Structure formats: C-alpha cells, structure tokens
Amino acid sequence: MSLASALSTGDLDRLPSRRDEDWRWTDLRGLIRVAPPPSPAVAAVAANPALAALRETVIVYANGRVIEGDGIVASEGMLLRRFVSATEGTCHALEAPVEVAPGGRLLLIDSFEGQAGGYVADARFPVVVAEGGRLERVVLLDDAADAVSVGLTEVELLPGASFHQTVIASGAKRQRFETRVRHHGGGASVRLDGAYVLAGQRHSDQTSLVDHLERDGVTSQLTKGVVQDQARGVFQGRIVVAEGADGADARMGHHALILSDRAEVDAKPELEIWADDVACAHGNTVGALDEDALFYARSRGIPEAEARALLVGAFLGEAADRIEHIQARELAREWIAALLRGAA
Amino acid sequence: MLSIRDLHAAIDGKEILKGLDLEVPAGEVHAIMGPNGAGKSTLSYVLTGREGYDVTQGSATLDGEDLLSLEPNARAARGLFLSFQYPLEIPGVPALTFIRTALNAQRKARGEGEISAPAFLKLARESAARLKMDFEMLRRPLNVGFSGGEKKRMEILQMAMLSPRFLILDETDSGLDIDALRIVSDGVNALRSPARGMLVITHYQRLLDYVKPDRVHVLAGGRIVDSGGPELAHELERAGYDKYAREAA
C-alpha cells in the first residue's frame, strides 16, 4: 500500500486509506479517484528567491527527474536539493538516496517546491549514516495548496552516528512527511523536529517511527504547529525501544496552537518500551493562544496583531532554534516568519 | 491626572465595582488598601482594559482623555502602566526583545521614531544596574524560570524603561523578601516626579513604609469607603478591615 505503487501500476486500490491505522488522518484513496497523467520531462524550473542566499552545491529534480547536478550526494559539506513539481495536474515519483561515510559530516537542505497546482508527488529517501557520521537535514515543504505530496525517509543510523532533522511544512491538499529511523545506538543520536504553519484548507501530516535496536541511543523530538482557518495538522510519533536496547534516552514533544474554531489537530504520540533501563518521556499539548500572555503584551503597548505574531512566532521558533547550523537555522526562521506573514 | 467617577464594573454579570470615585493628581502617590475580594485587582484590570471586565457605568480619564474606550495598547501608549501581581512568562521571547517591541510600538503610536539600538541598550543597561539586575537576565526569555522576586524586579525594569505617566502597582510587594522589597521600592521612588501619578494597590501596609503615599483609600465592597493620610495605613494594619465589613455587605 503506497502512493508510489499506485502511481506506477495505475491501481488506485493500492492507495493508503483511512482503514490503514497509520493513514487514518491522511486518507488518499478517498481523495484520488482518477490517476493523473505522468509528469512530462522539463528542462528548466524557476529560481527560488528564498534560497538565493545559499551558495551550496545544488541538485535540482523537476517532475521527479534530475535536471541539474548528478544526483550523487557527497559525504561532506553542504548540499541543497530542490524537488520541484512543475506541471499542473500530473504525477511523478522519485527516489533520492543519501549515504554519509564513516566520520562524514553533511548538511542537507531539501526544498520541496510546488511551481504548478494539482500535482501528485511521491518521494523516497533512503539514508545511511555510517559510524561516527553526522547528517543534519532541514526540509522545507512548500507545496501547492491543491497538491498531494508524500515523502518517506528511511534512515539506517549506525553506532555513534547522528541524524538531526527539522521539517517545516505549510501543508497541501494532502501532505505527509514520514521519517523512519533504525537506531543502532552506541551513542548515536537522533533529533527529529518539525514545525507546521497551516492556513486555508491545507493539511499536513508529520509521522515518525524510531526503532531503538541497540544500547545507548538518544532520541529527541520536538514538533510545534499552528493551524488556522479550516486547516488540519497531524502528528504521529512513535518510539520503540527494543528488548535489550537499554540506556536509551528518548524524549518526544508535540505542541500545537489552534487559532480558529474550524481548524483541527490530530496527535498520536506513542512510546513502546521493551527494555528495562531507559529514560523516556513524552508531552503533547493542543490549545489556544494564551489570552493572559496576550493581554500582558498589549498592556505594555503592543497592538493585538503584533502581540499575536510575537507570541506565535516565539512558540514555533523553539523548533527552529534547535537547528545547529547557523545559516540553516536562519533559513528556517525566515521561512517560518514568511509563512506566518502569509497566514496573517 | 487620573479621574474615576462612579465606576461600575462586572465580571460574568456579577458586579464587582459599585460606584467607585477616585482622583489622583499629578505628582501624588495614592494607595488603595482593602480586604481580599474588595475589587482591588478588578480596578487595575478595568483601568488597563482587560477583556471580560465589563464597565456598566461611570468613567475613567487620564488628563481628561477617556481611557475606557481605548484598546489596552493605546492606553499604554498614552502613558498608563500596570505592574502585574502575577507577571506572565513569555517563552521564546527574550526580555530585551519584548521591551524593545513594546517601547517602539508605544513610540509609533505617539508618532515618534524607533529608538536606536545603541540608545536602547544603554537604557537597558542603566535601568538593570539601578535595580541590581544581572544584564544577562534580559537576554533570557521574559520571566521564564524567574523567581517571584525576579519577576517583580523585571516589572519595575519595564516600567522604568517605558517611562509611563501613570503607574499602577498591583500587589507589587507580594513574593518579595526584605532586600528585594527595598530594591523594588527604590526603583519605584526613583520614578516619582511632579508630572507622574501612582496608584499603589496593596493588602498590607509593609510596602507603604518604603513607597510613602500622599493619600490612602480603603476599597471595600466595590467602593472607596474611607480616605485619609498615610496614618490611615497604620490604623488599618492595627485594626484590620473589620469595621468596613458592614459597609461592604
């Protein structure tokens, strides 16, 4: 059951539906009644002004095909990958692997850009981070409002390695970004963060599964979301600590603000622990903006709209603040600020 | 300066203030004392415009200008400042950012330009030093993880930096030990001036030993039931509020 297999075979019965527990808040089968035609090859795509400041190696995918760069990811330095959906009402799928060599250190910025509407896109990211390797990844999901966009990242994390990721989403008609990590411990560390800013009728789903397979793994997760209008945010986080994977330290937090009566947030945080000696915690809150804090700010002279923006920005900022790389952190902050300006 | 006439206010339809009259001229410090539930905090929230406090009758003006029809931020821009009994924590917003945002918003509302970054930092450093606060605290998220005393000090710091014309201190002494009380009181006294008025709301007389009032009023049952000089505070400390209980009922 996956979007990719449904697209490649044309068999829409293969689409995940609300009957699949893991997809119950992100139904695709009820949504996609007719398979759209395959996306054509395109030679060039528009530049993205938001990324203009980055002077990194670039790989550009257009409609699922590499049109710039060779698609091969080095284990060192910084890399910007753009995944552009360029043709209205068509569908495509891609696979873009990443391997970080032992001791390698890579910053990866993955930008999803909907330059047309109504597309259906599927992306797979097999990732291996070898022993002692470090991968920090910032994912910007800027899909079209009427698009369907699904991404799945599967990470093999070897002992002593780290995989730190921040996903910032503005939603789509249906948008899902899923990350699965096989965590081999040995001091390896996972940071899986997210932020979503959803307006209109947009939907965004951030789902994750971290399997602690061996001893002494660390996982830290913080997702923050803001929804308004009739938007819908979905967070599903699952951390499993296998038998024998003692010494695991796993923390998960998801916190969302609902700014309108018709917006919705669905959250399912889960910890499944089969080992004895572990430190695990999770927290989940969904609520309105703190009216007391709002009045406090207004009583000091800050107009209501500005006070709201200040408080909401600070709320989301906590997720972006955890990005280690300074330039990537600034990029994430600016992107969040732009989303908030657009949503206001 | 501050002029309140026949003020009636209700929360959820329950009348809390029942015809309150009060005049605080410029240059004077007036204390409002009263038993719990008399309406002291309600008065401070009505004056600053908190939602949920409905004014059903009467008026409140600052230098002749109606306050009650203004948004809370507009009242602040005209020089009204409330030091909260329980200051809020604002995660993710450094104190300096919060104060600069407030100061510039007030200046904008008054048609003034933004304060320059060096001038703002100088003001912040000087104000913090006067209140014996570690400047690094101002880089941390506002009030997050601060003790009760630190939060009160941060209120006085904001007050000093925003330089309001009329100050309302709501139970500013609660949660302060004697050293902090002295520092906070010194900070408040430094703001006394012929152009400024102050309303000090307190349950106990303790604060008034440090911030000496020109007039003391007793608030009970939603009205001012007695007024006098500073000696009234001492009398209340000795005799309690019992004698006003009948009037309040």
Side-chain angles (χ1 to χ4, degrees):
Chain A
M1 293 293 149
S2 75
L3 176 59
S5 67
L7 293 180
S8 63
T9 60
D11 178 3
L12 297 184
D13 285 340
R14 295 185 179 214
L15 289 169
S17 79
R18 64 179 80 240
R19 280 191 291 278
D20 301 298
E21 175 62 19
D22 197 22
W23 287 81
R24 64 179 166 139
W25 289 315
T26 306
D27 175 41
L28 295 184
R29 203 181 303 172
L31 186 74
I32 303 172
R33 297 297 189 179
V34 181
S39 302
V42 293
V45 295
N48 183 346
L51 304 172
L54 295 175
R55 299 253 175 274
E56 314 315 323
T57 314
V58 179
I59 298 175
V60 180
Y61 287 76
N63 289 347
R65 302 165 181 87
V66 177
I67 61 164
E68 192 181 328
D70 55 11
I72 297 185
V73 179
S75 274
E76 287 291 336
M78 285 174 74
L79 175 68
L80 168 63
R81 296 192 298 187
R82 297 176 59 204
F83 302 97
V84 180
S85 294
T87 307
E88 182 91 21
T90 61
C91 75
H92 52 267
L94 65 86
E95 183 165 309
V98 176
E99 274 192 52
V100 177
R105 186 173 179 174
L106 178 67
L107 172 72
L108 190 60
I109 294 169
D110 282 346
S111 170
F112 288 73
E113 302 165 29
Q115 296 189 354
Y119 55 85
V120 175
D122 182 278
R124 303 257 155 170
F125 302 99
V127 174
V128 179
V129 188
E131 299 210 7
R134 293 166 68 177
L135 174 59
E136 180 165 38
R137 183 189 197 201
V138 175
V139 181
L140 308 175
L141 299 178
D142 187 15
D143 278 307
D146 57 357
V148 175
S149 175
V150 172
L152 172 63
T153 302
E154 290 180 288
V155 183
E156 194 77 26
L157 188 69
L158 293 164
S162 72
F163 175 70
H164 292 182
Q165 174 176 275
T166 306
V167 178
I168 303 173
S170 62
K173 191 171 186 179
R174 288 282 193 289
Q175 178 185 72
R176 171 164 166 129
F177 202 85
E178 180 173 357
T179 307
R180 298 181 196 154
V181 182
R182 287 170 50 82
H183 196 326
H184 290 278
S189 110
V190 170
R191 178 174 65 69
L192 279 188
D193 293 347
Y196 53 88
V197 182
L198 310 179
Q201 295 183 311
R202 284 176 182 251
H203 166 286
S204 184
D205 169 338
Q206 294 196 22
T207 291
S208 62
L209 166 64
V210 180
D211 268 315
H212 280 251
L213 302 167
E214 292 169 54
R215 294 184 58 94
D216 300 325
V218 176
T219 296
S220 174
Q221 210 172 350
L222 179 66
T223 297
K224 300 205 112 180
V226 174
V227 293
Q228 62 185 59
D229 304 328
Q230 298 166 59
R232 185 187 207 189
V234 175
F235 171 82
Q236 304 186 103
R238 188 152 176 243
I239 298 176
V240 181
V241 181
E243 198 177 339
D246 294 290
D249 185 330
R251 304 188 186 264
M252 180 196 296
H254 167 254
H255 306 282
L257 290 178
I258 299 188
L259 301 184
S260 88
D261 293 343
R262 298 175 71 191
E264 180 177 331
V265 170
D266 300 296
K268 193 167 72 166
E270 293 176 285
L271 294 176
E272 194 180 313
I273 298 161
W274 301 95
D276 298 324
D277 174 23
V278 297
C280 292
H282 68 82
N284 181 56
T285 58
V286 178
L289 195 62
D290 182 353
E291 290 295 324
D292 292 339
L294 191 61
F295 172 67
Y296 183 73
R298 294 178 74 198
S299 83
R300 295 289 140 95
I302 305 174
E304 182 171 2
E306 201 180 334
R308 282 184 187 279
L310 182 74
L311 296 176
V312 171
F315 174 82
L316 290 169
E318 261 192 289
D321 286 349
R322 284 158 51 105
I323 297 172
E324 291 93 3
H325 192 279
I326 294 170
Q327 202 182 359
R329 187 164 64 225
E330 279 310 310
L331 180 70
R333 280 190 183 141
E334 280 166 25
W335 171 235
I336 288 173
L339 290 178
L340 287 174
R341 279 195 301 274
Chain B
M1 186 141 211
L2 180 70
S3 178
I4 303 174
R5 302 248 163 85
D6 190 31
L7 187 62
H8 291 252
I11 305 170
D12 291 334
K14 183 172 186 285
E15 192 167 58
I16 308 291
L17 299 183
K18 303 172 181 172
L20 188 145
D21 291 288
L22 184 68
E23 292 282 340
V24 184
E28 292 194 6
V29 174
H30 287 209
I32 298 240
M33 302 184 70
N36 290 324
K40 299 195 299 293
S41 284
T42 298
L43 175 60
S44 67
Y45 287 143
V46 166
L47 289 176
T48 47
R50 187 171 196 145
E51 273 172 38
Y53 292 76
D54 303 315
V55 175
T56 51
Q57 198 178 315
S59 68
T61 60
L62 185 62
D63 289 335
E65 189 176 15
D66 175 34
L67 286 175
L68 302 178
S69 62
L70 298 175
E71 295 287 307
N73 44 290
R75 300 182 198 198
R78 281 165 180 74
L80 189 66
F81 183 97
L82 167 64
S83 172
F84 279 53
Q85 181 176 5
Y86 302 108
L88 275 291
E89 299 187 0
I90 312 287
V93 182
L96 279 175
T97 305
F98 183 82
I99 301 170
R100 197 182 61 232
T101 305
L103 184 58
N104 281 332
Q106 290 198 17
R107 291 173 68 104
K108 189 176 171 192
R110 293 192 292 258
E112 302 162 15
E114 291 200 347
I115 187 170
S116 73
F120 176 76
L121 279 176
K122 182 165 178 279
L123 175 66
R125 281 186 197 285
E126 287 172 358
S127 306
R130 215 170 293 131
L131 288 162
K132 300 185 172 55
M133 291 172 71
D134 180 0
F135 186 74
E136 287 309 305
M137 274 178 78
L138 274 66
R139 298 189 191 281
R140 287 169 35 198
L142 182 64
N143 290 335
V144 176
F146 289 15
S147 70
E150 287 169 336
K151 287 179 184 174
K152 291 298 171 71
R153 229 179 275 195
M154 189 60 87
E155 291 291 279
I156 305 304
L157 176 91
Q158 292 182 51
M159 196 161 82
M161 291 182 67
L162 294 171
S163 192
R165 286 192 299 150
F166 196 91
L167 287 54
I168 305 168
L169 306 178
D170 189 1
E171 306 277 0
T172 290
D173 50 334
S174 69
L176 292 185
D177 63 27
I178 199 75
D179 292 327
L181 182 62
R182 189 168 292 127
I183 292 165
V184 162
S185 302
D186 287 348
V188 172
N189 286 326
L191 293 173
R192 292 179 86 139
S193 87
R196 263 196 194 111
M198 284 191 204
L199 196 56
V200 180
I201 295 172
T202 182
H203 185 73
Y204 300 105
Q205 178 260 336
R206 190 172 78 139
L207 177 66
L208 304 180
D209 285 341
Y210 297 91
V211 180
K212 300 231 185 291
D214 297 293
R215 298 280 294 165
V216 174
H217 309 275
V218 179
L219 175 58
R223 293 186 306 122
I224 302 295
V225 294
D226 203 358
S227 298
E231 72 285 349
L232 181 55
H234 291 275
E235 208 176 299
L236 288 167
E237 189 76 356
R238 201 171 48 246
Y241 294 107
D242 282 355
K243 71 182 255 204
Y244 303 108
R246 196 162 26 87
E247 295 175 60

